[in-house]
Amino acid sequence: GESVGLHLPTLSVQEGDNSIINCAYSNSASDYFIWYKQESGKGPQFIIDIRSNMDKRQGQRVTVLLNKTVKHLSLQIAATQPGDSAVYFCAEIQGAQKLVFGQGTRLTINP
Amino acid sequence: KAGVTQTPRYLIKTRGQQVTLSCSPISGHRSVSWYQQTPGQGLQFLFEYFSETQRNKGNFPGRFSGRQFSNSRSEMNVSTLELGDSALYLCASSGSGRAFGDTQYFGPGTRLTVL
């Protein structure tokens, strides 16, 4: 069946370092992907998205990479700050109708 | 502009009861979607409404239902509650014709506990 999973449930990085959060998906029909950030006690927040006709997209301090060959998605956060501490979810959307989330990775920033 | 609001924020029910949760989208947003978040299953998409019509639906049993009113406010109903329905129920609204993406904003959620 379809599934979106994350390679690591937790990730701890030093403040100022770059963070890389990974995600694997299994449905090759997925055509749109989103990364969300969820802070404690809050709902998810959109970070960045990418369509299947792209392999890289950059935002402010964040970059998403898509490798359709191995069905892999990653989120890179540059110069990680304490405010980046949160759970990060990837999500895949199939035909603009079905949304499937990954389990989430908890990112912890060490001072 | 006010964000997405959900009421109530916390709710305790017993097995077999039914519950109705409410979501008020951002003004002008016509798409409202609902999600269930549990430690075991993570975030799961329930359904999405656009202009009072259910447009998309996840893989949940018929006990989970919803509706949207002409002012875009939405309600979600769960009948015959089970212990496994204990979860954070999140609502999100979107200001574009698309349900998901950068115009989608989530509310703080309703924490439902079923005893």
Side-chain angles (χ1 to χ4, degrees):
Chain A
E2 302 117 353
S3 66
V4 177
L6 295 167
H7 293 310
L8 296 172
T10 60
L11 178 64
S12 183
V13 299
Q14 292 295 124
E15 183 177 349
D17 286 353
N18 296 335
S19 302
I20 300 176
I21 302 171
N22 296 304
C23 176
Y25 66 95
S26 61
N27 194 321
S28 57
S30 295
D31 51 13
Y32 182 44
F33 303 87
I34 301 175
W35 279 101
Y36 294 94
K37 172 186 180 183
Q38 187 174 23
E39 297 174 281
S40 181
K42 298 182 179 179
Q45 176 186 1
F46 173 93
I47 301 174
I48 193 168
D49 59 359
I50 189 167
R51 297 204 172 274
S52 57
N53 61 352
M54 303 172 68
D55 53 21
K56 180 179 180 179
R57 189 156 190 236
Q58 289 184 291
Q60 188 176 15
R61 283 203 307 118
V62 294
T63 300
V64 56
L65 298 177
L66 175 64
N67 186 329
K68 294 181 287 295
T69 302
V70 295
K71 297 178 188 170
H72 183 267
L73 193 67
S74 69
L75 176 70
Q76 301 178 2
I77 305 173
T80 311
Q81 304 169 357
D84 294 327
S85 292
V87 177
Y88 290 81
F89 295 93
C90 65
E92 62 177 310
I93 294 90
Q94 300 155 12
Q97 293 185 343
K98 187 172 181 177
L99 176 69
V100 178
F101 286 96
Q103 284 296 309
T105 293
R106 181 174 300 281
L107 178 63
T108 303
I109 314 302
N110 300 319
Chain B
K1 184 184 272 193
V4 178
T5 57
Q6 293 187 244
T7 57
R9 291 295 310 278
Y10 301 91
L11 201 51
I12 299 176
K13 291 285 188 178
T14 56
R15 280 182 298 174
Q17 287 187 311
Q18 67 92 28
V19 67
T20 299
L21 312 180
S22 180
C23 172
S24 293
I26 291 172
S27 178
H29 285 196
R30 295 166 64 191
S31 169
V32 174
S33 51
W34 288 89
Y35 306 81
Q36 182 196 64
Q37 186 170 28
T38 62
Q41 299 298 317
L43 264 169
Q44 296 185 86
F45 170 67
L46 281 155
F47 32 65
E48 184 244 354
Y49 285 85
F50 183 83
S51 293
E52 302 180 65
T53 300
Q54 188 180 87
R55 189 164 62 169
N56 300 317
K57 189 176 187 303
N59 298 323
F60 276 80
R63 298 186 299 108
F64 293 82
S65 63
R67 59 177 175 169
Q68 186 180 32
F69 301 94
S70 58
N71 62 357
S72 293
R73 189 178 71 84
S74 178
E75 288 182 346
M76 192 196 100
N77 185 276
V78 186
S79 63
T80 319
L81 283 166
E82 302 176 359
L83 294 178
D85 297 333
S86 293
L88 180 68
Y89 290 88
L90 292 157
C91 162
S93 72
S94 177
S96 71
R98 298 177 290 121
F100 318 116
D102 58 359
T103 63
Q104 184 187 40
Y105 295 87
F106 282 80
T110 293
R111 174 74 63 184
L112 171 66
T113 301
V114 181
L115 303 177

